[in-house]
Amino acid sequence: MDLIPAPLTADWHEDAPPYVFGPAPVLDAAPGTEGTARWLRRELGAATGWDLPPGGRRGTSGGDVDDGGDGGDGGGAGDGDAGGGPDPGRIRLRLDGALARRLGPEGYALTVDGRGAQLAGASPAGLFWAAQTLRQLLGPDAYRRAPTRGGERVWSLPRGTLEDAPRFGWRGLLLDVARHFMPKDGVLRYIDLLAAHKLNVLHLHLTDDQGWRIEIRRHPRLTEVGAWRPRSRRGHRASPLWDETPHGGFYTHDDIREIVAYAAERHVRVVPEIDVPGHSQAAIAAYPELGNTDVVDTAALGVWDDWGISENVLAPGEDVLRFYEGVFEEVLELFPADVSPFVHVGGDECPKAQWRASPAAQARIRELGVDGEEGLQSWFVRHFDGWLAARGRRLIGWDEILEGGLAPGAAVSSWRGYAGGIAAAVAGHDVVMCPEQQVYLDHRQAPGPEEPVPIGYVRTPEDVYRFEPVPPALSGTAAAARVLGAQANVWTEVAENRSRVDYQVFPRLAAFAEAVWSRLPAPAERDYAGFEARMAGHRRRLDALGVDHRPPGGPLPWQRRPGVLGRPIEGPPPNA
Ligand code: ACM
């Protein structure tokens, strides 16, 4: 059936003929399933041409209420049982709390029998994953936006039963929309792509040295100035090439509200990241007083046009805290707690040279009684930890935030390998594993010279398939429960548009999805050949969706970037 990610259990009736839908199936949606019903009507309806009118069936499994209307049975026109015509077929949706006890909150069951497809979710989220599985079972054409063969297309499903539930509750992708902006429709598309792989967290890296991407009404220059740069380096840092096209863009409040609501309908949580106190040159270019004005002429700074880590970091002053509290107030308004309980504050890669040179920063260190510049960084992050906690949110930050000690509710994104995540979990913090050596999708996916702008380690789809979120040091310990899950991160310095992002992300995100959803054996024992065989079918779904994935044989001519320098790292990654 080429299901990706692989389900927990599946019992297909291999000898039985497939179940064939009539030309106008009905959708029997029990209370609480309206969201998935809406999604099915929109997505499957577009691909199949089905209207999926409501329809109930009395007496088939107890407690059903016949809607008594069109498409229902009990004598209604269009239902074969009473009227003598062919059965139109039925997709039935319901919630089943008993599944939650057995399979957890996102579990679901899907059965295909002589009456059609019955989908039961432990929760609305579980039911939605069931609907995603249904779409996969219907075949690649179910991913198109219009019927391709008119009324001649017959839609069928294999008969059988499957039960499924994810291994982890946090199954994410980070999109770096700061280095290269991804317009809103691209983000909505990625939410659909995540959902199609049963991934449920979109981490949006909204601010960096090279651009500020979220409208903040009380500080309008953040986007008037901070969302644009005059040019971009083409290729990695060593590349002598420049793209002189001005680059930029940002999401308005309504864009963000739309993204968050669209994600919520698909059971995807959005984690906004506002990076402090480093990676802040775009903000400083907009408001020079945010920088270390006693050591640099911040009024002369622009949004950075180069890659790397800017030395221009926030000044450690009270006014800067107040400014960012204002930013976070708007962020909390736009990302409601039920969809975005976590707020990411970055905290990574903050160069300390300006604080060392700044008399004001040094005075601040003495005044606060903190341990040098590192203590100052920790003070900065702790401030927002308390500030967010007081507002019912949880701070998450890159593993550097561990260095100064963290408040109990804060969580860590472990990116510099597993070590930060292990230390955080042992210290009682929740952890999201995203080690750069394993799941940074900006890293090249094959060793050949034809990879576009190759950077980092070679991380093949097979490497990603063998990624294990719980490292041996935690496996079997109580601290393993602190690993909420994992996310793949795609940084976009050399991925300048949607097509380049697709190329870096796919097919590896499909392998990642299976590594975080399915109950796979230990990395060395995983059946990669089996995954690859299913992947052949899955690529047809990606094609129907218009994803510019990397073909197994290497990049197509227009996917290459001849002559644009990357920065490949030779040899296997450490702790691979
Ligand atoms: C990171 O890659 N600097 C989180």
Tab-separated table of all heavy atoms in Angstrom, residues 279 348-349 398 400 415 436 440 489 491, ligand 1:
chain	number	residue	atom	x	y	z
A	279	HIS	N	21.773	36.894	16.350
A	279	HIS	CA	21.012	36.804	15.091
A	279	HIS	C	20.003	37.951	14.989
A	279	HIS	O	18.853	37.749	14.603
A	279	HIS	CB	20.299	35.445	14.998
A	279	HIS	CG	21.237	34.294	14.747
A	279	HIS	ND1	21.774	34.027	13.513
A	279	HIS	CD2	21.743	33.344	15.572
A	279	HIS	CE1	22.559	32.948	13.583
A	279	HIS	NE2	22.562	32.521	14.821
A	348	ASP	N	20.735	30.996	20.276
A	348	ASP	CA	21.921	30.338	19.735
A	348	ASP	C	22.940	31.352	19.245
A	348	ASP	O	22.607	32.503	18.959
A	348	ASP	CB	21.525	29.429	18.551
A	348	ASP	CG	20.804	30.214	17.455
A	348	ASP	OD1	20.025	31.134	17.794
A	348	ASP	OD2	21.022	29.917	16.265
A	349	GLU	N	24.170	30.909	19.151
A	349	GLU	CA	25.232	31.599	18.407
A	349	GLU	C	25.238	33.113	18.637
A	349	GLU	O	25.097	33.890	17.692
A	349	GLU	CB	25.064	31.308	16.904
A	349	GLU	CG	25.167	29.843	16.568
A	349	GLU	CD	24.947	29.553	15.082
A	349	GLU	OE1	24.060	30.160	14.459
A	349	GLU	OE2	25.671	28.701	14.552
A	398	TRP	N	17.336	27.157	21.581
A	398	TRP	CA	18.441	26.298	21.135
A	398	TRP	C	19.291	25.902	22.339
A	398	TRP	O	19.272	26.583	23.372
A	398	TRP	CB	19.267	27.016	20.067
A	398	TRP	CG	18.433	27.405	18.884
A	398	TRP	CD1	18.076	28.674	18.515
A	398	TRP	CD2	17.820	26.530	17.917
A	398	TRP	NE1	17.286	28.637	17.389
A	398	TRP	CE2	17.114	27.339	16.995
A	398	TRP	CE3	17.799	25.149	17.746
A	398	TRP	CZ2	16.404	26.806	15.920
A	398	TRP	CZ3	17.090	24.626	16.672
A	398	TRP	CH2	16.407	25.442	15.778
A	400	GLU	N	22.106	26.220	23.498
A	400	GLU	CA	22.945	27.190	24.214
A	400	GLU	C	22.252	27.730	25.466
A	400	GLU	O	22.914	28.156	26.407
A	400	GLU	CB	23.293	28.372	23.307
A	400	GLU	CG	24.333	28.068	22.240
A	400	GLU	CD	23.735	27.670	20.899
A	400	GLU	OE1	22.618	27.115	20.890
A	400	GLU	OE2	24.392	27.906	19.867
A	415	TRP	N	20.445	21.051	18.966
A	415	TRP	CA	20.893	21.143	17.568
A	415	TRP	C	22.372	20.861	17.384
A	415	TRP	O	22.806	20.410	16.328
A	415	TRP	CB	20.546	22.505	16.972
A	415	TRP	CG	21.415	23.667	17.407
A	415	TRP	CD1	21.286	24.399	18.551
A	415	TRP	CD2	22.530	24.218	16.705
A	415	TRP	NE1	22.239	25.378	18.606
A	415	TRP	CE2	23.023	25.293	17.471
A	415	TRP	CE3	23.154	23.917	15.490
A	415	TRP	CZ2	24.115	26.058	17.070
A	415	TRP	CZ3	24.249	24.681	15.089
A	415	TRP	CH2	24.724	25.743	15.885
A	436	GLU	N	22.263	18.693	14.259
A	436	GLU	CA	22.635	19.147	12.904
A	436	GLU	C	23.339	18.054	12.118
A	436	GLU	O	23.261	18.022	10.893
A	436	GLU	CB	23.499	20.414	12.967
A	436	GLU	CG	24.799	20.256	13.710
A	436	GLU	CD	25.703	21.492	13.597
A	436	GLU	OE1	25.536	22.271	12.646
A	436	GLU	OE2	26.567	21.674	14.457
A	440	TYR	N	19.730	18.119	9.671
A	440	TYR	CA	19.726	19.447	9.061
A	440	TYR	C	19.589	19.234	7.548
A	440	TYR	O	20.508	18.774	6.879
A	440	TYR	CB	21.012	20.209	9.406
A	440	TYR	CG	20.866	21.115	10.614
A	440	TYR	CD1	19.987	20.774	11.649
A	440	TYR	CD2	21.581	22.311	10.722
A	440	TYR	CE1	19.836	21.611	12.759
A	440	TYR	CE2	21.437	23.147	11.831
A	440	TYR	CZ	20.563	22.784	12.839
A	440	TYR	OH	20.419	23.602	13.925
A	489	ASN	N	15.424	20.452	10.371
A	489	ASN	CA	15.555	21.901	10.178
A	489	ASN	C	16.103	22.180	8.790
A	489	ASN	O	17.093	21.577	8.378
A	489	ASN	CB	16.506	22.493	11.223
A	489	ASN	CG	15.980	22.348	12.654
A	489	ASN	OD1	14.788	22.091	12.871
A	489	ASN	ND2	16.860	22.502	13.625
A	491	TRP	N	17.618	25.260	6.806
A	491	TRP	CA	18.122	26.641	6.763
A	491	TRP	C	18.289	27.015	5.305
A	491	TRP	O	18.610	26.173	4.464
A	491	TRP	CB	19.435	26.736	7.552
A	491	TRP	CG	19.239	26.256	8.964
A	491	TRP	CD1	19.506	25.010	9.447
A	491	TRP	CD2	18.655	26.991	10.056
A	491	TRP	NE1	19.136	24.928	10.774
A	491	TRP	CE2	18.617	26.119	11.172
A	491	TRP	CE3	18.171	28.291	10.199
A	491	TRP	CZ2	18.114	26.512	12.414
A	491	TRP	CZ3	17.670	28.675	11.438
A	491	TRP	CH2	17.648	27.794	12.529
B	1	ACM	C1	21.286	26.819	14.623
B	1	ACM	O1	21.473	26.044	13.686
B	1	ACM	N1	22.066	27.872	14.810
B	1	ACM	C2	20.226	26.602	15.563
